[in-house]
Amino acid sequence: MCYGLANVIKKKPYDNLFIHKKMSSVFGSGEISTSDEYLHEITGFIRVHKDGHCERLLGNNKLPAGIDSSTGVESKDVVISPETNVSARLYIPKSATSDRKLPIMIYFHGGGFVFESTTSAAYHSTLNRFTAELNVISVSVDYRLGPEYPVPAGYNDSWEATHWVASHSAGCGPDTWLNEFADFSKVFLAGDSAGANIAHNLAIRFGSDRIAGINLEGIILIHLYFGGNDPIGSELGKHKQLKAFTDQFWNLANPSGTGLDDPLFNPEKDPNLSGLGCSKILLAVAEKDSLRDRGLHYKELMEKSGWAGKVEMLESKDEDHAFFLFDQFSQNTSTLCNRICTFIN
């Protein structure tokens, strides 16, 4: 059952703490820093100082777990790996009862692999909303970030978190919520931007290395972050500069990899697309997003790959990258939530 957004969420005082600036793109003007003051700088997002420490300019407003007064959703933080300090924030709707198991949505946040977290105001409020609206148990994974922990650390952490979720399938895992309320026959990997990239690549891995105890029914990819050496679509024209700007995140997170044509970043170079380990994909793109054409290209690749599943697509008109994080009460955000809810349920 899908619960109407207006019925479960009231506006909260922190909704505007993560501000969507009125500019040509959510990525700003796309200007690339030429300053020699830092080892690396992605303007407006992250600075790597010469002593090696990172200064992240977004996602620093943190919110604690607890009961959300607007939705009734309850959240808590759990440690998945003491060795790597990987953790997750779990969310459960107030409607949860032990006699009706709920689908599981394992969510990976965005941030170009180098910033953001499960505890930031933008993601905590979004996961409260998703959990209430979709009527799911949400597991929001706090994977390690580059450049301190380069790719593939974030992928490996996310894979470990998925194994951790599966460890509850027999009802005797370390977390009581998953033991009591979760339906392991309906598991979805989801994420936005870099998190959507992670969700796709984990589904590829799942296709050849199944995790016992869970059925991966589908993946939800919102404004996915992919790229490649060769520009496509609008990257050849109006978004040429923004491609160069957004490519910086991958290069910073993966300095010793194979560059922009790494199969983790450019699915066209991945020979294993046909083995994607689920039966359906929900792909969400935004009309004004400089990454929109990467999403459309991904859809085309999957449909031509020989994969036997189905790709569903939603395009949000007149919206930019990750708009739903900035404006939780727009009609387009409501439409996105409703489409995800239908996909899951």
Side-chain angles (χ1 to χ4, degrees):
M1 178 183 294
C2 300
Y3 291 78
L5 192 64
N7 293 330
V8 296
I9 298 176
K10 299 176 182 177
K11 190 158 186 172
K12 305 194 77 165
Y14 55 76
D15 284 336
N16 294 319
L17 291 177
F18 194 102
I19 299 172
H20 187 188
K21 298 178 180 179
K22 300 298 183 182
M23 50 177 60
S24 59
S25 166
V26 70
F27 300 114
S29 65
E31 180 180 352
I32 295 176
S33 173
T34 58
S35 170
D36 60 1
E37 184 177 355
Y38 309 104
L39 284 177
H40 302 282
E41 180 183 24
I42 302 179
T43 305
F45 292 88
I46 187 172
R47 297 171 181 147
V48 183
H49 291 258
K50 291 181 179 179
D51 64 1
H53 90 271
C54 293
E55 179 187 1
R56 292 178 169 86
L57 307 178
L58 288 178
N60 297 318
N61 183 46
K62 309 295 187 181
L63 292 175
I67 297 177
D68 181 64
S69 59
S70 291
T71 62
V73 168
E74 186 174 359
S75 58
K76 63 181 176 182
D77 295 323
V78 298
V79 174
I80 290 173
S81 173
E83 292 76 22
T84 59
N85 204 32
V86 175
S87 64
R89 181 164 286 186
L90 274 58
Y91 298 80
I92 191 166
K94 64 180 180 180
S95 61
T97 60
S98 58
D99 61 348
R100 183 177 182 270
K101 302 293 186 180
L102 298 176
I104 305 167
M105 180 176 70
I106 305 175
Y107 196 90
F108 310 105
H109 65 77
F113 299 97
V114 299
F115 70 99
E116 278 294 359
S117 73
T118 60
T119 62
S120 74
Y123 281 100
H124 181 62
S125 56
T126 295
L127 268 293
N128 276 321
R129 182 190 76 225
F130 278 174
T131 302
E133 174 77 356
L134 309 178
N135 200 33
V136 296
I137 295 177
S138 299
V139 180
S140 182
V141 179
D142 213 10
Y143 55 88
R144 289 173 294 173
L145 302 174
E148 299 97 325
Y149 300 99
V151 167
Y155 296 99
N156 292 337
D157 294 345
S158 300
W159 184 249
E160 184 176 9
T162 306
H163 269 279
W164 180 86
V165 170
S167 73
H168 298 78
S169 61
C172 53
D175 184 74
T176 55
W177 288 359
L178 289 170
N179 288 335
E180 186 172 356
F181 301 115
D183 181 354
F184 293 89
S185 70
K186 290 179 69 67
V187 175
F188 297 85
L189 303 179
D192 65 280
S193 196
N197 175 310
I198 291 174
H200 161 79
N201 280 295
L202 260 60
I204 291 288
R205 185 169 177 178
F206 190 87
S208 60
D209 185 13
R210 300 274 171 172
I211 298 176
I214 63 174
N215 173 55
L216 181 59
E217 189 164 323
I219 56 176
I220 301 160
L221 310 179
I222 308 172
H223 310 166
L224 52 73
Y225 177 45
F226 281 141
N229 277 324
D230 297 328
I232 62 170
S234 65
E235 296 171 352
L236 293 161
K238 66 178 180 178
H239 288 146
K240 181 178 180 180
Q241 181 65 24
L242 285 175
K243 179 189 185 306
F245 186 87
T246 55
D247 284 348
Q248 293 179 104
F249 293 102
W250 178 255
N251 287 328
L252 180 59
N254 190 29
S256 60
T258 56
L260 299 177
D261 277 342
D262 189 314
L264 291 170
F265 191 57
N266 184 356
E268 188 171 3
K269 303 302 181 180
D270 188 347
N272 301 312
L273 286 184
S274 63
L276 189 82
C278 61
S279 62
K280 59 182 183 177
I281 299 169
L282 176 60
L283 173 67
V285 299
E287 182 183 22
K288 293 185 175 181
D289 187 359
S290 63
L291 294 167
R292 170 185 178 271
D293 288 347
R294 288 289 168 181
L296 300 183
H297 185 53
Y298 171 79
K299 180 177 184 291
E300 181 181 354
L301 288 173
M302 292 308 303
E303 290 175 340
K304 292 181 177 179
S305 70
W307 174 63
K310 178 183 179 182
V311 182
E312 302 177 24
M313 195 182 85
L314 170 68
E315 180 168 6
S316 299
K317 300 297 183 182
D318 199 35
E319 297 287 7
D320 204 343
H321 191 74
F323 70 89
F324 64 97
L325 293 173
F326 315 124
D327 187 357
Q328 298 186 17
F329 302 94
S330 71
Q331 182 57 52
N332 280 332
T333 298
S334 180
T335 299
L336 174 63
C337 285
N338 288 337
R339 186 64 178 273
I340 296 172
C341 188
T342 301
F343 181 79
I344 288 176
N345 293 286

Short mmCIF file of all heavy atoms in Angstrom, two decimals, residues 15-70:
data_model
loop_
_atom_site.label_atom_id
_atom_site.label_comp_id
_atom_site.label_asym_id
_atom_site.label_seq_id
_atom_site.Cartn_x
_atom_site.Cartn_y
_atom_site.Cartn_z
N ASP A 15 13.92 21.80 6.71
CA ASP A 15 13.76 21.45 5.31
C ASP A 15 14.62 22.31 4.37
O ASP A 15 14.99 21.87 3.30
CB ASP A 15 12.30 21.58 4.87
CG ASP A 15 11.46 20.43 5.38
OD1 ASP A 15 12.03 19.37 5.65
OD2 ASP A 15 10.25 20.61 5.55
N ASN A 16 14.91 23.54 4.78
CA ASN A 16 15.65 24.42 3.90
C ASN A 16 17.13 24.50 4.23
O ASN A 16 17.85 25.34 3.72
CB ASN A 16 15.04 25.83 3.95
CG ASN A 16 13.64 25.85 3.38
OD1 ASN A 16 13.38 25.20 2.38
ND2 ASN A 16 12.74 26.58 4.01
N LEU A 17 17.63 23.60 5.10
CA LEU A 17 19.02 23.65 5.47
C LEU A 17 19.93 23.20 4.33
O LEU A 17 21.07 23.60 4.25
CB LEU A 17 19.27 22.78 6.71
CG LEU A 17 18.66 23.33 7.99
CD1 LEU A 17 18.89 22.34 9.13
CD2 LEU A 17 19.23 24.68 8.37
N PHE A 18 19.40 22.33 3.47
CA PHE A 18 20.15 21.90 2.29
C PHE A 18 19.52 22.63 1.12
O PHE A 18 18.52 22.21 0.56
CB PHE A 18 20.04 20.39 2.11
CG PHE A 18 21.03 19.81 1.14
CD1 PHE A 18 22.15 19.16 1.58
CD2 PHE A 18 20.82 19.91 -0.21
CE1 PHE A 18 23.04 18.60 0.68
CE2 PHE A 18 21.70 19.36 -1.11
CZ PHE A 18 22.81 18.70 -0.66
N ILE A 19 20.08 23.78 0.76
CA ILE A 19 19.40 24.72 -0.14
C ILE A 19 19.74 24.41 -1.59
O ILE A 19 20.90 24.24 -1.97
CB ILE A 19 19.80 26.17 0.19
CG1 ILE A 19 19.39 26.50 1.63
CG2 ILE A 19 19.17 27.13 -0.79
CD1 ILE A 19 19.91 27.85 2.11
N HIS A 20 18.71 24.37 -2.42
CA HIS A 20 18.88 24.21 -3.86
C HIS A 20 19.06 25.59 -4.45
O HIS A 20 18.11 26.33 -4.60
CB HIS A 20 17.65 23.52 -4.45
CG HIS A 20 17.82 23.16 -5.89
ND1 HIS A 20 16.80 22.70 -6.66
CD2 HIS A 20 18.90 23.17 -6.70
CE1 HIS A 20 17.21 22.45 -7.89
NE2 HIS A 20 18.49 22.72 -7.92
N LYS A 21 20.29 25.96 -4.76
CA LYS A 21 20.56 27.30 -5.24
C LYS A 21 19.98 27.48 -6.64
O LYS A 21 20.00 26.59 -7.47
CB LYS A 21 22.07 27.55 -5.27
CG LYS A 21 22.70 27.47 -3.88
CD LYS A 21 24.20 27.68 -3.97
CE LYS A 21 24.83 27.61 -2.58
NZ LYS A 21 26.28 27.79 -2.64
N LYS A 22 19.47 28.68 -6.89
CA LYS A 22 18.92 28.99 -8.20
C LYS A 22 20.08 29.35 -9.14
O LYS A 22 20.56 30.47 -9.18
CB LYS A 22 17.93 30.15 -8.10
CG LYS A 22 16.75 29.86 -7.17
CD LYS A 22 15.92 28.68 -7.66
CE LYS A 22 14.72 28.43 -6.78
NZ LYS A 22 13.93 27.29 -7.20
N MET A 23 20.56 28.37 -9.84
CA MET A 23 21.70 28.58 -10.72
C MET A 23 21.48 27.73 -11.96
O MET A 23 20.50 27.01 -12.08
CB MET A 23 23.01 28.21 -10.02
CG MET A 23 22.98 26.84 -9.36
SD MET A 23 24.53 26.35 -8.60
CE MET A 23 24.77 27.64 -7.39
N SER A 24 22.45 27.82 -12.90
CA SER A 24 22.29 27.10 -14.16
C SER A 24 22.27 25.60 -13.94
O SER A 24 21.72 24.85 -14.73
CB SER A 24 23.43 27.48 -15.11
OG SER A 24 24.68 27.16 -14.53
N SER A 25 22.88 25.13 -12.86
CA SER A 25 22.89 23.71 -12.53
C SER A 25 23.10 23.57 -11.04
O SER A 25 23.66 24.44 -10.38
CB SER A 25 24.02 23.00 -13.29
OG SER A 25 24.25 21.71 -12.75
N VAL A 26 22.66 22.42 -10.50
CA VAL A 26 22.95 22.13 -9.10
C VAL A 26 24.46 22.03 -8.88
O VAL A 26 24.95 22.18 -7.75
CB VAL A 26 22.24 20.83 -8.68
CG1 VAL A 26 22.87 19.62 -9.33
CG2 VAL A 26 22.21 20.67 -7.17
N PHE A 27 25.23 21.81 -9.94
CA PHE A 27 26.68 21.75 -9.85
C PHE A 27 27.33 23.12 -10.02
O PHE A 27 28.54 23.23 -10.16
CB PHE A 27 27.23 20.79 -10.91
CG PHE A 27 26.72 19.39 -10.77
CD1 PHE A 27 25.90 18.83 -11.75
CD2 PHE A 27 27.04 18.62 -9.66
CE1 PHE A 27 25.42 17.55 -11.61
CE2 PHE A 27 26.56 17.33 -9.52
CZ PHE A 27 25.75 16.79 -10.50
N GLY A 28 26.50 24.18 -10.01
CA GLY A 28 27.03 25.53 -10.17
C GLY A 28 27.29 25.84 -11.63
O GLY A 28 26.68 25.30 -12.54
N SER A 29 28.26 26.71 -11.85
CA SER A 29 28.57 27.12 -13.22
C SER A 29 29.41 26.09 -13.95
O SER A 29 29.60 26.18 -15.16
CB SER A 29 29.33 28.46 -13.18
OG SER A 29 30.59 28.28 -12.54
N GLY A 30 29.95 25.12 -13.19
CA GLY A 30 30.83 24.13 -13.79
C GLY A 30 32.27 24.58 -13.88
O GLY A 30 33.10 23.92 -14.50
N GLU A 31 32.57 25.68 -13.21
CA GLU A 31 33.93 26.21 -13.26
C GLU A 31 34.88 25.28 -12.51
O GLU A 31 34.63 24.89 -11.36
CB GLU A 31 33.97 27.61 -12.65
CG GLU A 31 35.35 28.24 -12.66
CD GLU A 31 35.38 29.63 -12.04
OE1 GLU A 31 34.28 30.15 -11.73
OE2 GLU A 31 36.47 30.17 -11.87
N ILE A 32 35.97 24.94 -13.13
CA ILE A 32 36.96 24.06 -12.55
C ILE A 32 38.07 24.88 -11.91
O ILE A 32 38.65 25.78 -12.54
CB ILE A 32 37.53 23.09 -13.61
CG1 ILE A 32 36.41 22.16 -14.10
CG2 ILE A 32 38.69 22.28 -13.05
CD1 ILE A 32 36.83 21.23 -15.21
N SER A 33 38.36 24.59 -10.66
CA SER A 33 39.35 25.35 -9.91
C SER A 33 40.74 25.17 -10.50
O SER A 33 41.16 24.06 -10.84
CB SER A 33 39.35 24.91 -8.44
OG SER A 33 40.42 25.52 -7.74
N THR A 34 41.47 26.27 -10.60
CA THR A 34 42.87 26.22 -11.04
C THR A 34 43.81 26.68 -9.93
O THR A 34 44.99 26.90 -10.16
CB THR A 34 43.05 27.12 -12.28
OG1 THR A 34 42.65 28.46 -11.96
CG2 THR A 34 42.23 26.61 -13.45
N SER A 35 43.26 26.81 -8.71
CA SER A 35 44.06 27.27 -7.58
C SER A 35 45.11 26.23 -7.19
O SER A 35 44.85 25.02 -7.25
CB SER A 35 43.15 27.55 -6.38
OG SER A 35 43.91 27.79 -5.21
N ASP A 36 46.29 26.72 -6.77
CA ASP A 36 47.32 25.81 -6.26
C ASP A 36 47.35 25.81 -4.74
O ASP A 36 48.30 25.32 -4.13
CB ASP A 36 48.69 26.17 -6.84
CG ASP A 36 49.13 27.58 -6.47
OD1 ASP A 36 48.38 28.29 -5.75
OD2 ASP A 36 50.23 27.99 -6.91
N GLU A 37 46.30 26.37 -4.13
CA GLU A 37 46.22 26.43 -2.67
C GLU A 37 45.96 25.05 -2.07
O GLU A 37 46.33 24.78 -0.92
CB GLU A 37 45.12 27.40 -2.25
CG GLU A 37 45.01 27.61 -0.75
CD GLU A 37 43.94 28.64 -0.39
OE1 GLU A 37 43.35 29.25 -1.31
OE2 GLU A 37 43.70 28.81 0.82
N TYR A 38 45.30 24.17 -2.85
CA TYR A 38 44.94 22.83 -2.36
C TYR A 38 45.50 21.77 -3.30
O TYR A 38 45.78 22.03 -4.47
CB TYR A 38 43.41 22.69 -2.29
CG TYR A 38 42.73 23.80 -1.55
CD1 TYR A 38 42.04 24.80 -2.25
CD2 TYR A 38 42.77 23.87 -0.16
CE1 TYR A 38 41.42 25.83 -1.57
CE2 TYR A 38 42.15 24.90 0.52
CZ TYR A 38 41.47 25.89 -0.19
OH TYR A 38 40.86 26.91 0.49
N LEU A 39 45.62 20.54 -2.76
CA LEU A 39 45.99 19.43 -3.62
C LEU A 39 44.92 19.19 -4.67
O LEU A 39 45.21 18.95 -5.85
CB LEU A 39 46.19 18.15 -2.79
CG LEU A 39 47.46 18.04 -1.97
CD1 LEU A 39 47.43 16.75 -1.15
CD2 LEU A 39 48.69 18.06 -2.87
N HIS A 40 43.66 19.22 -4.22
CA HIS A 40 42.51 19.08 -5.12
C HIS A 40 41.39 19.97 -4.59
O HIS A 40 41.21 20.09 -3.37
CB HIS A 40 42.00 17.64 -5.18
CG HIS A 40 43.01 16.64 -5.62
ND1 HIS A 40 43.37 16.47 -6.95
CD2 HIS A 40 43.77 15.75 -4.93
CE1 HIS A 40 44.28 15.52 -7.04
NE2 HIS A 40 44.54 15.07 -5.83
N GLU A 41 40.64 20.54 -5.49
CA GLU A 41 39.45 21.30 -5.09
C GLU A 41 38.37 21.12 -6.14
O GLU A 41 38.62 21.35 -7.34
CB GLU A 41 39.75 22.78 -4.92
CG GLU A 41 38.52 23.59 -4.51
CD GLU A 41 38.79 25.07 -4.40
OE1 GLU A 41 39.73 25.57 -5.06
OE2 GLU A 41 38.03 25.75 -3.68
N ILE A 42 37.20 20.67 -5.71
CA ILE A 42 36.02 20.68 -6.57
C ILE A 42 35.15 21.80 -6.03
O ILE A 42 34.58 21.70 -4.93
CB ILE A 42 35.29 19.33 -6.56
CG1 ILE A 42 36.24 18.22 -7.01
CG2 ILE A 42 34.06 19.38 -7.48
CD1 ILE A 42 35.61 16.83 -7.00
N THR A 43 35.07 22.87 -6.76
CA THR A 43 34.50 24.12 -6.28
C THR A 43 33.10 23.93 -5.71
O THR A 43 32.21 23.41 -6.38
CB THR A 43 34.45 25.16 -7.44
OG1 THR A 43 35.76 25.31 -7.98
CG2 THR A 43 33.94 26.50 -6.93
N GLY A 44 32.95 24.35 -4.46
CA GLY A 44 31.66 24.28 -3.79
C GLY A 44 31.37 22.96 -3.11
O GLY A 44 30.35 22.84 -2.42
N PHE A 45 32.25 21.97 -3.27
CA PHE A 45 31.96 20.63 -2.76
C PHE A 45 33.03 20.09 -1.81
O PHE A 45 32.72 19.66 -0.71
CB PHE A 45 31.76 19.65 -3.92
CG PHE A 45 30.51 19.91 -4.71
CD1 PHE A 45 30.53 20.79 -5.80
CD2 PHE A 45 29.31 19.30 -4.38
CE1 PHE A 45 29.37 21.05 -6.52
CE2 PHE A 45 28.15 19.55 -5.10
CZ PHE A 45 28.18 20.43 -6.17
N ILE A 46 34.28 20.08 -2.22
CA ILE A 46 35.31 19.46 -1.39
C ILE A 46 36.67 20.08 -1.70
O ILE A 46 36.95 20.46 -2.85
CB ILE A 46 35.36 17.92 -1.62
CG1 ILE A 46 36.31 17.25 -0.63
CG2 ILE A 46 35.70 17.58 -3.05
CD1 ILE A 46 36.26 15.72 -0.66
N ARG A 47 37.49 20.21 -0.65
CA ARG A 47 38.88 20.64 -0.80
C ARG A 47 39.78 19.60 -0.14
O ARG A 47 39.51 19.18 0.99
CB ARG A 47 39.11 21.99 -0.13
CG ARG A 47 38.31 23.13 -0.73
CD ARG A 47 38.44 24.35 0.15
NE ARG A 47 37.67 25.48 -0.39
CZ ARG A 47 37.08 26.40 0.38
NH1 ARG A 47 37.18 26.31 1.71
NH2 ARG A 47 36.41 27.38 -0.18
N VAL A 48 40.83 19.20 -0.82
CA VAL A 48 41.84 18.33 -0.24
C VAL A 48 43.06 19.20 0.03
O VAL A 48 43.70 19.70 -0.91
CB VAL A 48 42.20 17.16 -1.17
CG1 VAL A 48 43.21 16.24 -0.49
CG2 VAL A 48 40.96 16.38 -1.57
N HIS A 49 43.36 19.41 1.31
CA HIS A 49 44.46 20.28 1.69
C HIS A 49 45.81 19.59 1.48
O HIS A 49 45.88 18.37 1.34
CB HIS A 49 44.29 20.72 3.14
CG HIS A 49 43.13 21.64 3.34
ND1 HIS A 49 43.27 23.00 3.49
CD2 HIS A 49 41.79 21.39 3.41
CE1 HIS A 49 42.08 23.56 3.66
NE2 HIS A 49 41.16 22.60 3.60
N LYS A 50 46.85 20.39 1.49
CA LYS A 50 48.18 19.85 1.19
C LYS A 50 48.69 18.90 2.26
O LYS A 50 49.59 18.10 1.99
CB LYS A 50 49.15 21.00 0.97
CG LYS A 50 48.85 21.77 -0.33
CD LYS A 50 49.82 22.90 -0.58
CE LYS A 50 49.50 23.60 -1.90
NZ LYS A 50 50.41 24.73 -2.18
N ASP A 51 48.11 18.98 3.46
CA ASP A 51 48.49 18.01 4.49
C ASP A 51 47.68 16.72 4.40
O ASP A 51 47.84 15.82 5.21
CB ASP A 51 48.36 18.62 5.89
CG ASP A 51 46.92 18.98 6.24
OD1 ASP A 51 46.01 18.73 5.41
OD2 ASP A 51 46.70 19.51 7.35
N GLY A 52 46.79 16.66 3.38
CA GLY A 52 46.03 15.44 3.12
C GLY A 52 44.63 15.42 3.68
O GLY A 52 43.82 14.57 3.29
N HIS A 53 44.29 16.33 4.60
CA HIS A 53 42.94 16.27 5.17
C HIS A 53 41.93 16.89 4.22
O HIS A 53 42.25 17.80 3.45
CB HIS A 53 42.90 16.92 6.56
CG HIS A 53 42.60 18.38 6.57
ND1 HIS A 53 43.58 19.35 6.48
CD2 HIS A 53 41.42 19.04 6.67
CE1 HIS A 53 43.03 20.54 6.53
NE2 HIS A 53 41.72 20.39 6.63
N CYS A 54 40.70 16.35 4.29
CA CYS A 54 39.63 16.77 3.38
C CYS A 54 38.66 17.71 4.09
O CYS A 54 38.25 17.45 5.23
CB CYS A 54 38.88 15.56 2.86
SG CYS A 54 39.87 14.51 1.78
N GLU A 55 38.29 18.75 3.41
CA GLU A 55 37.29 19.70 3.90
C GLU A 55 36.05 19.59 3.01
O GLU A 55 36.09 19.98 1.84
CB GLU A 55 37.86 21.12 3.86
CG GLU A 55 36.88 22.19 4.33
CD GLU A 55 37.43 23.58 4.12
OE1 GLU A 55 38.55 23.73 3.59
OE2 GLU A 55 36.71 24.55 4.47
N ARG A 56 35.01 19.01 3.56
CA ARG A 56 33.77 18.82 2.79
C ARG A 56 32.84 20.00 3.04
O ARG A 56 32.58 20.37 4.18
CB ARG A 56 33.13 17.48 3.16
CG ARG A 56 33.98 16.31 2.69
CD ARG A 56 33.44 14.94 3.07
NE ARG A 56 34.18 13.91 2.36
CZ ARG A 56 35.32 13.36 2.79
NH1 ARG A 56 35.84 13.74 3.96
NH2 ARG A 56 35.94 12.45 2.07
N LEU A 57 32.32 20.58 1.95
CA LEU A 57 31.58 21.82 2.04
C LEU A 57 30.07 21.61 2.02
O LEU A 57 29.32 22.57 2.22
CB LEU A 57 31.99 22.74 0.88
CG LEU A 57 33.50 22.98 0.75
CD1 LEU A 57 33.81 23.86 -0.44
CD2 LEU A 57 34.07 23.58 2.03
N LEU A 58 29.62 20.40 1.81
CA LEU A 58 28.20 20.07 1.83
C LEU A 58 27.98 18.83 2.69
O LEU A 58 28.88 18.02 2.88
CB LEU A 58 27.67 19.80 0.41
CG LEU A 58 27.52 20.99 -0.52
CD1 LEU A 58 27.05 20.51 -1.89
CD2 LEU A 58 26.54 22.02 0.04
N GLY A 59 26.76 18.69 3.19
CA GLY A 59 26.39 17.50 3.95
C GLY A 59 26.86 17.51 5.38
O GLY A 59 26.88 16.47 6.04
N ASN A 60 27.23 18.69 5.90
CA ASN A 60 27.79 18.77 7.24
C ASN A 60 26.75 19.01 8.33
O ASN A 60 27.08 18.97 9.52
CB ASN A 60 28.85 19.88 7.30
CG ASN A 60 30.03 19.58 6.39
OD1 ASN A 60 30.50 18.45 6.33
ND2 ASN A 60 30.49 20.58 5.66
N ASN A 61 25.52 19.28 7.94
CA ASN A 61 24.46 19.47 8.93
C ASN A 61 23.87 18.10 9.27
O ASN A 61 23.13 17.51 8.48
CB ASN A 61 23.37 20.40 8.38
CG ASN A 61 22.30 20.66 9.40
OD1 ASN A 61 22.59 20.95 10.56
ND2 ASN A 61 21.05 20.53 8.99
N LYS A 62 24.22 17.57 10.43
CA LYS A 62 23.86 16.20 10.80
C LYS A 62 22.61 16.19 11.68
O LYS A 62 22.38 17.09 12.48
CB LYS A 62 25.01 15.54 11.56
CG LYS A 62 26.37 15.64 10.87
CD LYS A 62 26.40 14.88 9.56
CE LYS A 62 27.83 14.88 8.99
NZ LYS A 62 27.90 14.17 7.69
N LEU A 63 21.83 15.14 11.55
CA LEU A 63 20.65 14.94 12.38
C LEU A 63 20.72 13.57 13.05
O LEU A 63 21.15 12.60 12.43
CB LEU A 63 19.37 15.04 11.54
CG LEU A 63 19.04 16.43 10.99
CD1 LEU A 63 17.82 16.36 10.09
CD2 LEU A 63 18.81 17.43 12.11
N PRO A 64 20.29 13.48 14.30
CA PRO A 64 20.35 12.20 15.01
C PRO A 64 19.21 11.28 14.60
O PRO A 64 18.16 11.72 14.09
CB PRO A 64 20.20 12.61 16.48
CG PRO A 64 19.36 13.86 16.41
CD PRO A 64 19.79 14.58 15.16
N ALA A 65 19.40 9.99 14.85
CA ALA A 65 18.31 9.03 14.68
C ALA A 65 17.29 9.22 15.80
O ALA A 65 17.57 9.86 16.81
CB ALA A 65 18.86 7.61 14.69
N GLY A 66 16.10 8.66 15.59
CA GLY A 66 15.05 8.78 16.60
C GLY A 66 13.69 8.66 15.96
O GLY A 66 13.55 8.12 14.86
N ILE A 67 12.67 9.18 16.62
CA ILE A 67 11.31 9.18 16.08
C ILE A 67 11.05 10.51 15.39
O ILE A 67 11.20 11.57 15.98
CB ILE A 67 10.27 8.92 17.20
CG1 ILE A 67 10.49 7.54 17.81
CG2 ILE A 67 8.85 9.03 16.63
CD1 ILE A 67 9.56 7.24 18.97
N ASP A 68 10.68 10.43 14.13
CA ASP A 68 10.37 11.62 13.35
C ASP A 68 8.94 12.07 13.65
O ASP A 68 7.99 11.32 13.42
CB ASP A 68 10.54 11.33 11.86
CG ASP A 68 10.26 12.53 10.99
OD1 ASP A 68 10.99 13.52 11.11
OD2 ASP A 68 9.29 12.48 10.21
N SER A 69 8.80 13.28 14.14
CA SER A 69 7.48 13.73 14.60
C SER A 69 6.48 13.91 13.47
O SER A 69 5.27 13.80 13.69
CB SER A 69 7.63 15.06 15.37
OG SER A 69 8.20 16.06 14.54
N SER A 70 6.95 14.16 12.26
CA SER A 70 6.04 14.39 11.15
C SER A 70 5.49 13.11 10.54
O SER A 70 4.37 13.08 10.03
CB SER A 70 6.74 15.21 10.06
OG SER A 70 6.98 16.51 10.50
#
